[in-house]
Amino acid sequence: MRDMVTGSGDTTPSLAFTPSHRSPPPLTTARLRRFHGGMSRPRSVPTDRLFFAVLPDPDTAARIAELARRLRTRHGLTGAPILPEHLHVTLLHVGDGIGLPPGLVATAIERTEAVAMPRFRAEFDRVMSFKGGPLVLAGDDSVIGLEILHQRLSDAFDARPRQARRFKPHLTLLRDRQRLAETAIEPIGWTASELVLVHSMLGLATHRHLARFPLH
């Protein structure tokens, strides 16, 4: 069962759609990523992103944001920290494009309603820089729940589910040209209780939560 919502403080109306009672046609993640002609018009700059994520609770988000500020000051980084309300772990990137077709949202929701997963603890115990600039929180055995949920969500979107996919759960703190070596930190985590479908308005620092899927 999912709940339709919008992001906190967001005054933009929810995208309207009519859920279908029929099974959606085969639709792979790669095909979803081509929504609204994004692949056929390479010169167009995407304005919208759709993805599934697990979000920290507000108290944990505040702790993570404070950690990002401390790291930024300690290492002389210049990248702006991610806003606390935007901190998340991406589980599945649906796609980027110009506008957000309501039919795509409906299909994504239908696929996800079949995903079953109990609540789990997600915990990160180190910080590191990824290639390209993201400074992230990472973990090992303590993020297995995120790996399992990613696998189940991916299976729901792939026409031919695969046994394993390359996925490294992480939570981005900020982006900076300076890269930091992997460093252990005091573990920080939370109990993941829901999966959220997020609409990001690129360049506007705006996230809209289109649907929530409780974990039981």
Side-chain angles (χ1 to χ4, degrees), residues 67 71 74 124-128 138 181-187:
L67 172 62
L71 291 169
R74 183 185 308 162
F124 299 90
D125 58 11
R126 61 183 183 272
V127 63
M128 61 190 298
E182 183 175 331
T183 305
I185 61 170
E186 180 180 351

Side-chain angles (χ1 to χ4, degrees), residues 28-103:
T28 66
T29 303
R31 289 175 59 195
L32 281 172
R33 292 200 181 104
R34 295 195 291 268
F35 75 78
H36 211 73
M39 295 295 288
S40 61
R41 297 192 296 171
R43 294 185 180 180
S44 298
V45 177
T47 58
D48 301 87
R49 173 170 295 161
L50 192 65
F51 62 93
F52 287 95
V54 168
L55 281 57
D57 60 79
D59 288 343
T60 305
R63 290 177 57 205
I64 294 172
E66 176 59 28
L67 172 62
R69 285 191 289 269
R70 293 201 307 268
L71 291 169
R72 185 174 185 267
T73 300
R74 183 185 308 162
H75 297 283
L77 306 179
T78 58
I82 302 296
L83 295 172
E85 60 269 29
H86 290 174
L87 292 170
H88 65 274
V89 179
T90 299
L91 269 296
L92 183 70
H93 174 215
V94 178
D96 292 351
I98 310 299
L100 195 61

Side-chain angles (χ1 to χ4, degrees), residues 22-23 28 31 45 66 69 75 79 81 89 135 137 141-142 155 157 168 174 178 185 200 204 212 215:
R22 296 172 298 177
S23 297
T28 66
R31 289 175 59 195
V45 177
E66 176 59 28
R69 285 191 289 269
H75 297 283
V89 179
L135 178 65
L137 295 181
D141 293 346
S142 57
D155 286 347
F157 279 80
K168 187 177 184 64
L174 55 82
Q178 181 179 337
I185 61 170
S200 174
L204 299 179
R212 297 178 186 273
L215 305 178

Side-chain angles (χ1 to χ4, degrees), residues 104-123:
L104 177 65
V105 174
T107 299
I109 288 174
E110 285 189 76
R111 286 301 181 95
T112 310
E113 286 180 331
V115 176
M117 181 78 181
R119 295 185 178 190
F120 60 89
R121 180 77 178 172
E123 194 167 84

